[in-house]
Amino acid sequence: MSRVRRIAEEEYIVVVLLAGFAVCFLLIFPPFLLVADSWMNLVAGREIWERGLPRTEELTVYGAGATWTAQQWLAHLLFYGTHALGGHALLVLLAAGVVLGAFAIAAAAARSLGAGPRAIWALFVPVLLAAPWAWSIRAQMLALPLYTALVWLLLSEARAPTRRVWLAAPLLLLWGQLHGSVVLGALLVSALGVTELVLSRGSSWRRSAWLVALPPLAVLVTPYGPFTTARYYHLLLIEPPFAGVVTEWQWPNPAKNTMFFYVLVAIAIPIVWYGRRRLTAFDFVLLALSFAGAITAIRGVIWFAMACMVLLPVAIGRSLESRSSQAPRRRLNRGIALACAAAVLGTAAHSLARDPSWYTSRWPSAPLETVRAELGADDRLLADSSYADWLLWELPELRGRLAYDVRFELYDRTFFDRLARYSAQDGEDWLSFADGYEIVLVDETRRSATDRLLAETGARLAYRDDALSVVIRRGGR
């Protein structure tokens, strides 16, 4: 309690920042948090809960029989269990808690390493905007607090080595059950070992050797065993069949969705130069490795952003703080902290009381009900990856009858080539991708195949709006 009281009395600026963010997060963002990956996590969690850890794909047609290593199994179960207990409202509260926790740990890390509270305020919005897709409900978000905690640990150890460094092992073990980004965490721990070895000119070789060797082994500790897990990471990182196809695995080409990433980079360069004497050699290594990951793939931007949330305030130090040495107004600050806590708790209670339809307002019920009404006992359905897992979650009877979903590691290169031709309507046989599917959900916001599908004998339009169409194909084709 004494530590909580001290934070309330002395860190009220950061408390106000985090509380304001939590309130805005719960009042504004929830309808935007449910994305394709959210539904996939729920579907996979239900699959694991009902049938145990999967090893062979049985949910989709194009992936049937493929090896499915559900590396994110714990994240799937956590999301599914949370939804089972409290629906989308509780799921959103979990997401808010995870994201708030990540920023709180980052702020605590920055303060402990010499940053002033105003520097944290100054960097908060640029970091928040650099990777807005990272705040959606997906397995990656569960790794954010673990990442910031690991960064804090490693940066502290780079300044004053202690035995606390071995706390990295349980962090990596837990992270490895939640998301594949644990590979980055392992790389950072090993990088600390190499950095210490170089700076100590070999005198720390025992500690450094363990720091280099243990993290990769920790990554392989999963229920699937080390060999299957190693094959999974080799597939994702070395020979991904979806390379160049899936947006998140492409480099962040300058565009609207990556604009604020480059803004953050532009902010970071002069700050790092200005505060370079406040940073250690490992600080630069961590920034460089996380930046390399961000440039390699869009999904890596968040790790660079959160590293900036810790290190850029440290580089600024206390230069933005008032030079007056007034004692903190402890009673006033406690009152502010209590008001912030009340606002967050009140907003959380309001979130739980909201109409459940508010959380799914961006997922239209009309096409879903059309598919539900039209779906026959043996019908198979083809839908864009954006909607596939949503349909599978809402209609469990689609298990084994859905064409494909967002688990792109399940499909081979031939599948992606055919999918690309279907999406672009390129080549004479592009429509053959839809052969054998009695119901097709068409995304009308992209290049629409609706008219070509309706030209088939016996095809009919069951539903259409500006976003989606449902085409029934039970005639001769």
Side-chain angles (χ1 to χ4, degrees), residues 419-438:
L419 176 59
R421 290 197 299 272
Y422 174 75
S423 300
Q425 300 180 24
D426 180 37
E428 295 182 359
D429 65 339
W430 66 269
L431 195 56
S432 65
F433 187 77
D435 287 352
Y437 295 91
E438 288 76 18

Side-chain angles (χ1 to χ4, degrees), residues 223-237:
Y224 286 95
F227 297 107
T228 298
T229 305
R231 285 195 295 268
Y232 170 82
Y233 284 116
H234 181 271
L235 175 67
L236 255 65
L237 302 176

Side-chain angles (χ1 to χ4, degrees), residues 24 111 127 142 150 173 179 232 260 305 321 355 383 430 446:
C24 292
R111 291 287 285 127
V127 168
L142 297 177
L150 182 68
L173 287 172
H179 194 256
Y232 170 82
F260 288 105
E321 304 306 309
D355 188 321
W430 66 269
R446 303 184 181 184

Side-chain angles (χ1 to χ4, degrees), residues 29-201:
F29 295 153
F32 302 93
L33 299 180
L34 288 169
V35 296
D37 277 2
S38 310
W39 303 111
M40 182 273 289
N41 276 282
L42 290 173
V43 167
R46 180 174 63 193
E47 186 76 4
I48 294 171
W49 180 259
E50 294 177 351
R51 295 175 172 84
L53 279 178
R55 297 185 180 272
T56 303
E57 166 61 0
E58 297 179 356
L59 294 174
T60 62
V61 176
Y62 277 115
T67 299
W68 177 18
T69 303
Q71 179 271 329
Q72 304 171 7
W73 67 274
L74 187 56
H76 298 326
L77 282 176
L78 181 58
F79 283 132
Y80 175 70
T82 301
H83 187 276
L85 290 173
H88 295 306
L90 192 58
L91 201 59
V92 164
L93 287 181
L94 170 65
V98 167
V99 175
L100 183 65
F103 276 102
I105 293 170
R111 291 287 285 127
S112 74
L113 297 173
R118 292 184 182 180
I120 295 171
W121 265 83
L123 271 300
F124 186 83
V125 172
V127 168
L128 185 67
L129 296 178
W133 57 86
W135 319 127
S136 56
I137 296 173
R138 54 198 304 178
Q140 185 187 53
M141 77 180 321
L142 297 177
L144 294 176
L146 299 177
Y147 173 72
T148 50
L150 182 68
V151 165
W152 186 2
L153 174 65
L154 298 182
L155 295 179
S156 300
E157 288 296 313
R159 287 159 170 78
T162 69
R163 292 182 179 179
R164 286 194 301 270
V165 72
W166 306 118
L167 291 173
L171 284 174
L172 292 176
L173 287 172
L174 176 58
W175 188 349
Q177 321 308 312
L178 294 170
H179 194 256
S181 55
V182 65
V183 173
L184 172 62
L187 178 62
L188 293 179
V189 177
S190 295
L192 175 64
V194 173
T195 304
E196 287 186 355
L197 184 65
V198 171
L199 294 179
S200 69
R201 298 181 180 181

Side-chain angles (χ1 to χ4, degrees), residues 131-466:
W133 57 86
W135 319 127
S136 56
I137 296 173
R138 54 198 304 178
Q140 185 187 53
M141 77 180 321
L142 297 177
L144 294 176
L146 299 177
Y147 173 72
T148 50
L150 182 68
V151 165
W152 186 2
L153 174 65
L154 298 182
L155 295 179
S156 300
E157 288 296 313
R159 287 159 170 78
T162 69
R163 292 182 179 179
R164 286 194 301 270
V165 72
W166 306 118
L167 291 173
L171 284 174
L172 292 176
L173 287 172
L174 176 58
W175 188 349
Q177 321 308 312
L178 294 170
H179 194 256
S181 55
V182 65
V183 173
L184 172 62
L187 178 62
L188 293 179
V189 177
S190 295
L192 175 64
V194 173
T195 304
E196 287 186 355
L197 184 65
V198 171
L199 294 179
S200 69
R201 298 181 180 181
S203 62
S204 67
W205 70 268
R206 288 188 178 86
R207 172 184 160 104
S208 297
W210 281 111
L211 287 175
V212 171
L214 282 181
L217 298 178
V219 169
L220 299 179
V221 179
T222 76
Y224 286 95
F227 297 107
T228 298
T229 305
R231 285 195 295 268
Y232 170 82
Y233 284 116
H234 181 271
L235 175 67
L236 255 65
L237 302 176
I238 308 300
E239 297 180 354
F242 46 77
V245 178
V246 179
T247 301
E248 283 196 346
W249 288 85
Q250 298 173 358
W251 80 284
N253 185 44
K256 288 183 179 179
N257 65 328
T258 60
M259 175 177 63
F260 288 105
F261 162 62
Y262 289 104
V263 169
L264 180 60
V265 173
I267 292 172
I269 291 172
I271 289 177
V272 169
W273 176 256
Y274 165 79
R276 61 190 183 279
R277 290 185 177 86
R278 298 188 184 95
L279 303 177
T280 69
F282 179 72
D283 296 353
F284 288 100
V285 170
L286 191 150
L287 283 172
L289 289 176
S290 60
F291 178 73
I295 287 296
T296 302
I298 290 177
R299 66 187 295 119
V301 170
I302 183 57
W303 312 118
F304 172 72
M306 294 307 292
C308 287
M309 189 70 251
V310 177
L311 282 172
L312 296 191
V314 174
I316 294 173
R318 301 189 61 84
S319 58
L320 301 181
E321 304 306 309
S322 173
R323 295 185 179 181
S324 62
S325 57
Q326 294 180 350
R329 300 177 180 178
R330 298 183 182 276
R331 182 175 298 179
L332 175 62
N333 294 348
R334 284 200 304 271
I336 293 173
L338 286 173
C340 288
V344 173
L345 291 175
T347 307
H350 174 68
S351 298
L352 290 172
R354 274 189 180 272
D355 188 321
S357 63
W358 180 69
Y359 294 98
T360 58
S361 56
R362 296 180 67 247
W363 296 87
S365 60
L368 171 64
E369 295 308 317
T370 299
V371 172
R372 191 192 306 272
E374 295 283 351
L375 187 64
D378 298 318
D379 287 345
R380 298 200 294 183
L381 182 142
L382 171 64
D384 182 88
S385 59
S386 299
Y387 298 97
D389 286 294
W390 167 59
L391 290 167
L392 185 55
W393 171 253
E394 298 289 354
L395 302 171
E397 60 268 33
L398 280 174
R399 184 180 188 274
R401 296 192 280 159
L402 183 74
Y404 69 100
D405 70 352
V406 295
R407 292 166 300 142
F408 295 118
E409 71 274 12
L410 296 177
Y411 312 106
D412 58 24
R413 193 67 199 186
T414 301
F415 163 82
F416 287 107
D417 291 340
R418 293 189 66 198
L419 176 59
R421 290 197 299 272
Y422 174 75
S423 300
Q425 300 180 24
D426 180 37
E428 295 182 359
D429 65 339
W430 66 269
L431 195 56
S432 65
F433 187 77
D435 287 352
Y437 295 91
E438 288 76 18
I439 302 178
V440 180
L441 189 78
V442 182
D443 186 347
E444 296 291 347
T445 64
R446 303 184 181 184
R447 187 168 184 178
S448 173
T450 301
D451 292 340
R452 180 64 182 85
L453 289 166
L454 290 175
E456 297 176 330
T457 303
R460 62 182 174 86
L461 186 64
Y463 175 86
R464 188 170 198 172
D465 62 22
D466 292 339

